[in-house]
Amino acid sequence: MSAGTETVVYTETAARGRTMSLSTRNTIFRALCLSSALLVLAVLAGILLSMVIGGWPAFRAFGLGFFTGSAWDTQSDQYGAWPAIAGTLSSAVIALAIGVPLSLGVAIFLTQLAPRWIRTPVATAIELLAAVPSIIYGMWGLFIFVPLFAEYFQVPVSNVTEGLPIVGTILYARSPTGLGVATAGIILAFMIVPFIASIARDMLAQIPTVLRESAYGIGCTTWEVVRYVLVPQAGVSIIGAIMLGLGRALGETMAVTFVIGNANRLSTSILDPGSTIASRIANEFNEAIGLQMNALIATGCILFLVTFVVLVVARLLVARMKAV
Amino acid sequence: MHAEPPLPPIASDVPSAWGRVRGSRRIADKVLKASAWIATGISVVVLFWILGMLIIQGGSSLSWSVFTQATPGPGSEGGGLANAIVGSFVLTFLGIAVATPIGVLAGTYLAEYGRGSKLAALIGFLNDILLSAPSILIGLFVYTLVVQPMGTYSGWAGAIALAIIALPVIVRTTDDMLGLVPGTLREAGVALGAPTSMVTQRVTWRAARAGIVTGILLALARIAGETAPLLFTALNNNSWFGPQLIGGIPNLPVTIFQFASAPYENWRQLAWAGALIITAAILLFSVTARYALGRDNAR
């Protein structure tokens, strides 16, 4: 055999070997991609499973009473989640009540009103609001906002509402320290603005310009264009965006822990200290033992299920618009 | 006032146009515009208020010892944040190192193999849920998964918790960025006889590289300031740590949390310095990512 033939044979084998290894590599690569994707599913399932298993002893010990009970007593091992659930819901509702008008205002400003030169810097500023870590919001809340809130809102409002029926129970601060459920709600409102505003902005920007132009063309004012053209077009997905914000507000931990006052007792007033599920877990989990730990994980399980449902609905509503 | 150049300024304040408009319509319009301006103003003011607070309070607390000395124990003088800064670097880097390969591969599956498949649609959907899942619950999950079986807090647990938060961010951007790569590029690769894996690695990934790197940067910005998932995993520590990363690992976010409202003046100063450092780093990541993404889209 001459050297030339040898070379040919060699390259052919090498080529065949290479092709085979390529197809094997192809299969391996696909399997790697698939298993990585499945890992995302596994993580989510794992979170749910660990919450259910960890919380089960508490659910079994207290039954339905766990949801409605308001005792949180480590001495007699009695735990009820109601104060934390109520605190979570009320702070989130306050966050939405303030945050939604703010975010929609920002979205309308950015898509309809802003002069071109101001639009990019403002949009960047709003996005950076989302990048600020939640612990920094907590510090701003505790050291800057809380004293101002106590002096200029809690004290005057409590002076007015003291003794009044209904209003006096909801809006009265026994000790106007500035800490409380309402404070947490306000800080949360600023934290969810960038999330709601950015989706709402995308949705408004997706509406064909022709629609807006024809509305302006028949003499509509900006308010009428927003009310009768933009809202009907983007309404559903804006509700989705709001629910995404709600999902954030429900699970937010550090900022809330700083400013909510961390009281285990349930107060009727939103100006009084309270706690949320997340803040209670953050405060107590490391020292918790036995049933208290199970109870904390059980509240975490409740939080997970609630945010899961909220987020699923939110994503479905937002996706509906994107598909159109 | 309007954004679109072809629009004549009908709705802006042209006196003759407003002359024939009913008062209620005029008021509704003015109220809407004013509220939108005010809402935007408030949001922007809050951002600059927070940044100003950090610069004033944090700037006055910054000194060289912050970067050279370890965190002080309760009641002891001076001290710095060196161990917490290094610890945060290690945890964040490990988190990204774990999340990046998994996230990019999962995103590749969604974009390259799963188009139109029900499984991929489900995974993509649930990935978005994981993206906004409460981070404290991820901390709880990793506690039961890693800390309980190991019997000790560890840097590994902290890194895993951070990786779980970074993962959906990377999956989402990778999927989106690969989706922007034109199909003709892939077809050209396949037409040369290359199998899908090779086309993906040599053509599609390369075309989407800037976008994927941006996703990793965004994930970095997201996890660098995360506190809640570290509370029960990496915990914190006032001393240096060994390479085994066993036991409480010092890190900036939890240090800030513990020091911020502490009774010791030097602790509070350090918390402000840490807050400034961490926010500056995160905003730097975000702005870089934004810039990179903008350039990528423009291309």
Side-chain angles (χ1 to χ4, degrees):
Chain A
M1 246 189 227
S2 73
T5 343
E6 259 179 26
T7 325
V8 170
V9 170
Y10 172 75
T11 18
E12 264 185 4
T13 340
R16 201 178 300 134
R18 206 176 132 83
T19 328
M20 275 170 63
S21 84
L22 262 186
S23 87
T24 333
R25 249 194 272 173
N26 199 26
T27 324
I28 293 176
F29 183 71
R30 198 199 141 97
L32 271 178
C33 288
L34 178 61
S35 43
S36 302
L38 288 175
L39 198 64
V40 173
L41 279 192
V43 166
L44 206 62
I47 295 175
L48 177 62
L49 209 65
S50 73
M51 298 288 132
V52 171
I53 293 175
W56 190 248
F59 285 130
R60 204 180 43 198
F62 305 112
L64 273 181
F66 184 71
F67 295 88
T68 53
S70 44
W72 195 270
D73 189 354
T74 47
Q75 301 299 317
S76 57
D77 246 4
Q78 286 298 313
Y79 303 102
W82 178 242
I85 296 175
T88 309
L89 294 180
S90 46
S91 63
V93 166
I94 296 168
L96 286 188
I98 300 167
V100 168
L102 276 182
S103 342
L104 296 186
V106 171
I108 291 171
F109 178 82
L110 287 176
T111 53
Q112 317 292 322
L113 301 176
R116 193 168 279 277
W117 62 272
I118 208 179
R119 200 180 308 168
T120 322
V122 169
T124 312
I126 302 293
E127 270 179 48
L128 290 186
L129 216 44
V132 173
S134 98
I135 190 164
I136 304 298
Y137 278 99
M139 291 177 83
W140 180 75
L142 182 62
F143 295 111
I144 309 270
F145 186 75
V146 160
L148 294 175
F149 189 68
E151 194 176 342
Y152 296 106
F153 189 84
Q154 278 195 333
V155 172
V157 165
S158 299
N159 285 342
V160 173
T161 57
E162 186 169 10
L164 290 179
I166 303 173
V167 187
T169 41
I170 301 173
L171 277 176
Y172 176 70
R174 252 169 298 216
S175 56
T177 52
L179 302 171
V181 177
T183 321
I186 295 170
I187 305 291
L188 284 174
F190 293 127
M191 299 182 71
I192 61 175
V193 161
F195 295 99
I196 303 179
S198 83
I199 299 178
R201 187 185 69 160
D202 288 352
M203 296 303 158
L204 291 180
Q206 270 184 30
I207 296 170
T209 317
V210 172
L211 278 179
R212 278 168 43 201
E213 284 176 352
S214 31
Y216 280 124
I218 57 169
C220 288
T221 62
T222 309
W223 157 251
E224 285 154 356
V225 171
V226 169
R227 171 67 189 80
Y228 298 107
V229 179
L230 302 188
V231 168
Q233 282 283 317
V236 172
S237 48
I238 287 178
I239 292 174
I242 293 171
M243 292 190 71
L244 270 186
L246 175 64
R248 290 256 168 204
L250 289 170
E252 182 49 56
T253 312
M254 299 319 295
V256 171
T257 309
F258 266 99
V259 298
I260 201 165
N262 301 314
N264 276 346
R265 222 163 24 84
L266 182 64
S267 169
T268 49
S269 168
I270 56 169
L271 296 182
D272 275 339
S275 63
T276 67
I277 291 176
S279 76
R280 187 169 287 188
I281 295 174
N283 275 316
E284 295 185 13
F285 191 76
N286 272 330
E287 279 85 43
I289 36 159
L291 198 56
Q292 186 190 3
M293 179 186 265
N294 297 126
L296 284 171
I297 299 180
T299 58
C301 184
I302 299 171
L303 175 64
F304 183 79
L305 294 177
V306 172
T307 42
F308 188 82
V309 171
V310 167
L311 291 173
V312 165
V313 174
R315 292 284 174 195
L316 288 175
L317 292 178
V318 171
R320 219 175 78 148
M321 180 74 179
K322 270 189 187 152
V324 172
Chain B
M1 276 225 147
H2 285 289
E4 314 304 325
L7 263 187
I10 299 168
S12 68
D13 305 336
V14 180
S16 62
W18 277 116
R20 285 178 284 116
V21 175
R22 231 186 312 126
S24 60
R25 294 180 62 201
R26 210 184 301 185
I27 292 168
D29 191 67
K30 294 252 169 199
V31 168
L32 173 82
K33 282 180 180 164
S35 346
W37 275 90
I38 292 170
T40 313
I42 292 176
S43 310
V44 173
V45 163
V46 166
L47 175 73
F48 283 102
W49 198 349
I50 291 174
L51 296 183
M53 166 195 85
L54 288 175
I55 290 169
I56 292 170
Q57 300 271 18
S60 63
S61 315
L62 272 186
S63 64
W64 273 118
S65 57
V66 168
F67 297 98
T68 54
Q69 295 182 20
T71 43
S76 54
E77 291 288 306
L81 294 167
N83 55 341
I85 294 173
V86 175
S88 264
F89 258 114
V90 171
L91 292 179
T92 312
F93 177 78
L94 281 177
I96 286 291
V98 173
T100 298
I102 301 174
V104 170
L105 286 174
T108 306
Y109 176 78
L110 296 183
E112 302 296 318
Y113 292 103
R115 285 268 169 258
S117 94
K118 286 221 172 81
L119 176 69
L122 179 74
I123 293 175
F125 185 79
L126 290 178
N127 181 70
D128 288 352
I129 305 282
L130 190 60
L131 196 64
S132 15
S135 58
I136 186 134
L137 297 184
I138 290 166
L140 272 189
F141 168 59
V142 175
Y143 178 88
T144 52
L145 187 77
V146 182
V147 177
Q148 253 177 352
M150 280 176 76
T152 168
Y153 297 105
S154 66
W156 305 110
I160 292 172
L162 292 181
I164 292 178
I165 293 169
L167 178 65
V169 182
I170 300 177
V171 173
R172 173 53 44 231
T173 34
T174 305
D175 182 12
D176 287 350
M177 292 302 143
L178 291 177
L180 291 178
V181 176
T184 43
L185 267 184
R186 296 185 185 88
E187 284 162 18
V190 174
L192 291 175
T196 323
S197 65
M198 201 180 204
V199 173
T200 304
Q201 290 169 32
R202 303 256 174 103
V203 179
T204 330
W205 276 0
R206 223 172 259 194
R209 189 165 52 192
I212 295 175
V213 171
T214 306
I216 297 169
L217 260 178
L218 284 175
L220 196 64
R222 172 84 200 273
I223 65 173
E226 278 288 352
T227 316
L230 295 179
L231 287 174
F232 330 124
T233 51
L235 200 66
N236 195 11
N237 203 337
N238 274 340
S239 55
W240 283 95
F241 51 94
Q244 317 87 335
L245 299 183
I246 295 299
I249 300 299
N251 60 85
L252 266 183
V254 181
T255 304
I256 296 171
F257 176 55
Q258 291 176 347
F259 281 18
S261 42
Y264 313 110
E265 177 59 25
N266 61 335
W267 279 26
R268 286 200 297 270
Q269 295 292 328
L270 287 173
W272 283 113
L276 176 65
I277 294 170
I278 210 161
T279 312
I282 288 169
L283 292 188
L284 187 72
F285 294 146
S286 316
V287 171
T288 315
R290 235 186 97 84
Y291 172 74
L293 200 65
R295 214 184 46 171
D296 192 52
N297 278 354
R299 231 184 272 157

